[in-house]
Amino acid sequence: SNSAFSVPPQQLITHDGGIIEVGAEVQYAITDCVALVREVAEHQEMIRSLSKTVLVRLTIKRTIQELQKEKHSCEEAVMAEINSQVRKWGLDIRNVCFSDVKVLKAPEKEGGGIPPL
């Protein structure tokens, strides 16, 4: 059966120097109860903590524009990264859905290229 939890909105500095706030809804299923019980005592807390870490780590590598225009591929990347950790524990992340990306501070410079002389 599927379960879900929310990663509360995190304030992050993006790759282009902007500041955003973004959270996520994570849906998962238990695929192997025996492995889960053996490997992880508090799977809810562990998976929530891991999801937050992965969300932050992958999001700060992106620009604001990438996060807004390529939201789905960013969500897929977060899902794949979490799954690479949790599948051995008998869990399967089925979906990651970001909340709206709130821009708190615009990026330093548009396009992130080298400014003209």
Side-chain angles (χ1 to χ4, degrees), residues 31-62:
T31 54
D32 183 343
C33 292
V34 175
L36 183 64
V37 170
R38 190 176 59 235
E39 298 290 335
V40 188
E42 292 293 322
H43 79 272
Q44 276 275 354
E45 195 46 52
M46 177 278 307
I47 196 172
R48 188 174 275 128
S49 173
L50 177 65
S51 298
K52 178 180 161 184
T53 302
V54 170
L55 175 73
V56 170
R57 198 179 50 188
L58 295 186
T59 303
I60 62 175
K61 294 179 180 174
R62 308 277 185 146

Side-chain angles (χ1 to χ4, degrees), residues 42-109:
E42 292 293 322
H43 79 272
Q44 276 275 354
E45 195 46 52
M46 177 278 307
I47 196 172
R48 188 174 275 128
S49 173
L50 177 65
S51 298
K52 178 180 161 184
T53 302
V54 170
L55 175 73
V56 170
R57 198 179 50 188
L58 295 186
T59 303
I60 62 175
K61 294 179 180 174
R62 308 277 185 146
T63 64
I64 288 177
Q65 196 173 28
E66 285 171 337
L67 288 165
Q68 289 173 327
K69 291 191 171 166
E70 302 163 28
K71 191 173 173 184
H72 188 66
S73 75
C74 297
E75 292 167 338
E76 294 273 316
V78 169
M79 184 169 78
E81 179 72 20
I82 301 169
N83 267 329
S84 73
Q85 305 281 320
V86 303
R87 285 213 168 121
K88 62 180 175 278
W89 298 326
L91 294 167
D92 182 51
I93 304 301
R94 299 283 162 93
N95 191 37
V96 172
C97 182
F98 289 178
S99 61
D100 285 338
V101 177
K102 242 189 252 170
V103 178
L104 305 178
K105 178 184 164 290
E108 297 297 326
K109 51 188 178 291

Side-chain angles (χ1 to χ4, degrees), residues 18-32:
I19 299 175
I20 61 161
E21 191 173 83
V22 66
E25 178 81 13
V26 179
Q27 294 174 356
Y28 70 97
I30 296 170
T31 54
D32 183 343

